[in-house]
Each structure stands twice: as C-alpha cells, then as structure tokens.
Amino acid sequence: MGRLIPTAKGLAWFRKGHPWIFRNDLAKIQDAAPGSIVSLEEKNGKFLAQGFYSEHSKIAFRLVSRSQERIHLNFWKERVERAFHYREAVVEKTNAYRLIYGESDGIPSLIVDRYADHFVLQTLSQATEDLLDLFTKILLELFRPSSILLRNDLSVRELEGLPQEKKIIMGECPSRVQVFEGTIQYLVDLWKGQKTGAYLDQRENRAAASRFLRGRVLDAFCYHGLFALHAARHAAQVTGVDSSQEAIEQARENALLNGLANTEFRKENVFSFLKAEAEAGRHYDGIILDPPAFAKSKENVGGASRGYKELNLRAIRLLNPGGILVTSSCSYNLSESRFLEILRECERDLGATLKIIEKRGQSADHPILLSFPESHYLKCLFLEKIH
C-alpha cells in the first residue's frame, strides 16, 4: 500500500474532519499508484486513515476509512447497503432518487441515481473508475436493475486525467424512462438530460412549494417543468419559461402526461422575459426561480452575486402583495448568508417587505456531511411579499 504524509498544514486540515487532502498539502508521496487505496500517516509513521489517491487532481487524497480495516468487496457492499437503508427511511412517494452521494455515503467520487429500475452512474475519480466493475457487481446483486448507464460526460473528470464518455454497462436503457414524484408523472432522458437525467435535488422543494402557490404562477428556468407541474395542481395558471427548446418540448409533454391544461411553456431568455413582463404591467401571485449555478468557482462569486440580485429584483417587482417567491441557488461558492444578503438588498432597493416562510436545501437523498461543506450546495427560500 502506498503512503502519503501531509504537511503540518495538511495535518491540521485533516484533523478538522475534512475528507480531502490537497496535493500541495502533502509532504511525501511514497509508492502510491493512481486510483489506489493508500495509507495517510504522520511523519513518525502513525496511521491516520485510508483513502483514494489521485495522480492528477488537486484533490490527492479522499477519505475512505479512519481505521485500518481491510477494504474489499464486502466493505463496499456494506456501504452501498447502508446508503440504501438510509434512502428507504427518507425517500417517499417517488421512484427517482439519488442512491449514492459520494463522500456523504462513504464512497468518495461515486454518484448513483435510480430512475425506477434503471440506474445511472458517475465515477468522478481515478479510484472509482478503477472500481467500476466492483460497484456494478454490487448493484446487480443487491438491486437487479434493468439497465445501468454510465454518464461520465462531465468536465470535472478532466481534472482526474479521465475521458468524458457515455455507455451502457448492462441491460438496455430506453431513450426515456417514466417515473413519478408525488402526484405527478414525468419522462426522463437518461442519455441526454441534465446531471443524470433530472434535477433530483429539488424534489422535496417542488412538493413543498405547491402548498403555497396559488393564482397566476411563473416557473422561471423551468427545464422539464417539474416545479410547474406541482404548482399546477393548485394554481389557476402556470407559465414555464426556459431558453432550451428541447426542455420546453419535454415540459409540454410532461404536462400532457399529467392532464394539466392550466400550463403553458415558452422558450424565452428568463432575464428578458421578466423585463418584458414588467414593462407590460403584468404581475404574478407566485414566481419560482431555479437558475443554473452562476458561481462555478470562487472567482465567479462577484459576477454571480450581481446576476442573482438582478434576477431576484426583476421577479420581486412582478409579485403581487401576498405573492410567493421560491428562489434557489445551487452555487456552492455562494454561501447561504451571502444569498440572504442579496435578497435583503433586493428588498431595500425595491422598498418591499419580504417574509421568510421556509429555508430549505437539497432533498434528503443528498445528505450533508457536517465536516464537508462541499456536500451542501443548494439553497432554497420560500418568501412572501408583504408589500
């Protein structure tokens, strides 16, 4: 087994509980094969932990175990089973959810999403790439899925020196799979859809938001229309807006699938649409903002903050008094405190008064590690415009 010895800074960082050690925080790398399990040790040889070693990535070490236990097939099988038992406890009224969420489930850099009996995997490091056959064997034994699709079409893999690819591992994966979420049904393209096919992390927020949304509702950045479909169960009229024609067509098909005639979906630039609606004097009783990540790095936070402020300003301006704003940020680099500050700035600039109804995050199948802030990225706020 290879050995890694951290610098004093790296050791202090590790003792705080974070599951990663960066390459520039290593004092020595000895006999560490790319993608292998290595031993993390102090300079005097005292054992600290075992974890994955990456040859190319800035993240050189990913924690697997703080003990010297043997890491073999049964070790990983137990971790997968534990992850599944947790989902059995927290996932309700759906057959589409995240089964394994990397570090949060003790299996660093592995993502497994389940859509009915079709599984989608992502291996985001050299180690999980090398262990793909083992994880496939475990999933087949425990769940007997109809298909397993590898969706490794992510740019982050380049940081590991790994190619982007999509391929079937086993079975036959249809072009689209029908799943359910609460009272709605929707279609997912596992081959081409965002992430592994759908935004599973907003599932609980979509259901919760529908309790508050009435009257005329706007779903901005609607993608496949899932917020809109939930809202349409109680709202009088729901309009979904997205810049992708493919997404709009899928949203329309999902509305038809659910027999929801009080929805419309439009291909528009959201910022331009909000501006045009204000100029036309139109207003809404509820607005949902679920934009893509504006801050993909710390360097982007300044520009992202301006983008989030402009977006929320335009939305709040369109809300009727008593109207509900459901606003999200999936940018890890933009903290919750900064997001709240942006909304306070909007309130002040507009002379409006906003009341927080709920502060929410990602769905429970995306668990957050206390010592791993990177696992907590989604912020979702329900606000009422008092005046």
Coordinates of all heavy atoms in Angstrom, one line a residue, residues 114 116-119 136-148 170:
R114 N -31.1 6.5 -9.2 CA -32.0 5.5 -9.6 C -33.3 6.1 -10.2 O -33.9 7.0 -9.6 CB -32.4 4.7 -8.4 CG -33.3 3.5 -8.6 CD -33.6 2.6 -7.4 NE -34.3 1.4 -7.7 CZ -34.4 0.4 -6.9 NH1 -33.9 0.5 -5.7 NH2 -35.1 -0.7 -7.3
A116 N -36.7 4.5 -11.4 CA -37.4 3.2 -11.4 C -36.4 2.1 -11.3 O -35.6 2.0 -10.4 CB -38.3 3.1 -12.7
D117 N -36.3 1.2 -12.3 CA -35.4 0.1 -12.2 C -34.2 0.3 -13.2 O -33.5 -0.6 -13.6 CB -36.0 -1.2 -12.5 CG -36.7 -1.3 -13.9 OD1 -36.8 -0.2 -14.5 OD2 -37.2 -2.4 -14.3
H118 N -33.9 1.6 -13.5 CA -32.8 1.9 -14.4 C -31.8 2.8 -13.5 O -32.2 3.8 -12.9 CB -33.2 2.7 -15.6 CG -34.1 1.9 -16.5 ND1 -33.7 1.0 -17.4 CD2 -35.5 1.9 -16.6 CE1 -34.7 0.5 -18.0 NE2 -35.8 1.0 -17.5
F119 N -30.5 2.4 -13.5 CA -29.5 3.1 -12.7 C -28.6 3.9 -13.6 O -28.2 3.4 -14.7 CB -28.7 2.1 -11.9 CG -29.4 1.5 -10.7 CD1 -30.8 1.3 -10.7 CD2 -28.7 1.2 -9.5 CE1 -31.5 0.7 -9.6 CE2 -29.4 0.7 -8.4 CZ -30.7 0.4 -8.5
T136 N -20.5 -2.2 -10.0 CA -21.5 -2.8 -10.9 C -22.0 -4.1 -10.4 O -23.2 -4.4 -10.3 CB -21.0 -2.9 -12.3 OG1 -20.6 -1.6 -12.8 CG2 -22.0 -3.5 -13.3
K137 N -21.0 -4.9 -10.0 CA -21.3 -6.3 -9.4 C -22.2 -6.1 -8.2 O -23.2 -6.9 -8.0 CB -20.0 -7.0 -9.1 CG -20.3 -8.4 -8.5 CD -18.9 -9.1 -8.2 CE -19.1 -10.5 -7.6 NZ -17.8 -11.2 -7.4
I138 N -21.9 -5.2 -7.3 CA -22.7 -5.0 -6.1 C -24.1 -4.5 -6.4 O -25.1 -5.0 -5.8 CB -22.0 -4.0 -5.2 CG1 -20.7 -4.6 -4.6 CG2 -22.9 -3.5 -4.0 CD1 -19.8 -3.6 -3.9
L139 N -24.2 -3.6 -7.3 CA -25.5 -3.1 -7.7 C -26.4 -4.2 -8.3 O -27.6 -4.2 -8.0 CB -25.4 -1.9 -8.6 CG -24.8 -0.6 -8.0 CD1 -24.5 0.4 -9.1 CD2 -25.6 0.0 -6.9
L140 N -25.8 -5.0 -9.1 CA -26.5 -6.1 -9.8 C -27.0 -7.1 -8.7 O -28.1 -7.6 -8.8 CB -25.6 -6.8 -10.8 CG -25.4 -6.0 -12.1 CD1 -24.3 -6.7 -13.0 CD2 -26.7 -5.8 -12.9
E141 N -26.2 -7.4 -7.8 CA -26.5 -8.4 -6.8 C -27.6 -7.8 -5.8 O -28.5 -8.6 -5.5 CB -25.3 -8.7 -5.9 CG -25.5 -9.7 -4.8 CD -24.3 -10.0 -4.0 OE1 -23.2 -9.7 -4.5 OE2 -24.5 -10.5 -2.9
L142 N -27.5 -6.6 -5.4 CA -28.5 -6.0 -4.5 C -29.8 -5.6 -5.1 O -30.9 -5.7 -4.4 CB -27.8 -4.8 -3.7 CG -26.6 -5.1 -2.8 CD1 -26.1 -3.8 -2.2 CD2 -27.0 -6.1 -1.7
F143 N -29.8 -5.1 -6.3 CA -31.0 -4.4 -6.9 C -31.5 -5.0 -8.2 O -32.6 -4.8 -8.5 CB -30.7 -2.9 -7.1 CG -30.2 -2.2 -5.9 CD1 -28.9 -1.9 -5.7 CD2 -31.1 -1.9 -4.8 CE1 -28.4 -1.2 -4.6 CE2 -30.6 -1.3 -3.7 CZ -29.3 -1.0 -3.6
R144 N -30.7 -5.8 -8.9 CA -31.1 -6.4 -10.1 C -31.8 -5.4 -11.1 O -32.9 -5.6 -11.5 CB -32.0 -7.6 -9.9 CG -31.4 -8.7 -9.0 CD -32.3 -9.9 -8.9 NE -31.6 -10.9 -8.1 CZ -30.7 -11.7 -8.4 NH1 -30.2 -11.7 -9.6 NH2 -30.2 -12.6 -7.6
P145 N -31.1 -4.3 -11.4 CA -31.7 -3.3 -12.3 C -31.9 -3.8 -13.7 O -31.2 -4.7 -14.1 CB -30.7 -2.1 -12.2 CG -29.4 -2.8 -11.9 CD -29.7 -4.0 -11.0
S146 N -32.8 -3.1 -14.4 CA -33.0 -3.5 -15.8 C -31.8 -3.0 -16.7 O -31.5 -3.6 -17.7 CB -34.3 -2.9 -16.3 OG -35.4 -3.4 -15.7
S147 N -31.2 -1.9 -16.3 CA -30.1 -1.4 -17.0 C -29.2 -0.5 -16.1 O -29.7 0.0 -15.1 CB -30.5 -0.5 -18.2 OG -31.0 0.7 -17.8
I148 N -27.9 -0.4 -16.5 CA -27.0 0.5 -15.8 C -26.3 1.3 -16.9 O -25.7 0.8 -17.8 CB -26.0 -0.2 -14.9 CG1 -26.6 -1.0 -13.8 CG2 -25.0 0.8 -14.3 CD1 -25.7 -1.8 -13.0
M170 N -24.8 -2.4 -18.6 CA -25.5 -3.7 -18.7 C -27.0 -3.3 -19.0 O -27.5 -2.3 -18.8 CB -25.5 -4.5 -17.4 CG -26.2 -3.9 -16.2 SD -28.0 -4.0 -16.1 CE -28.2 -5.8 -16.2

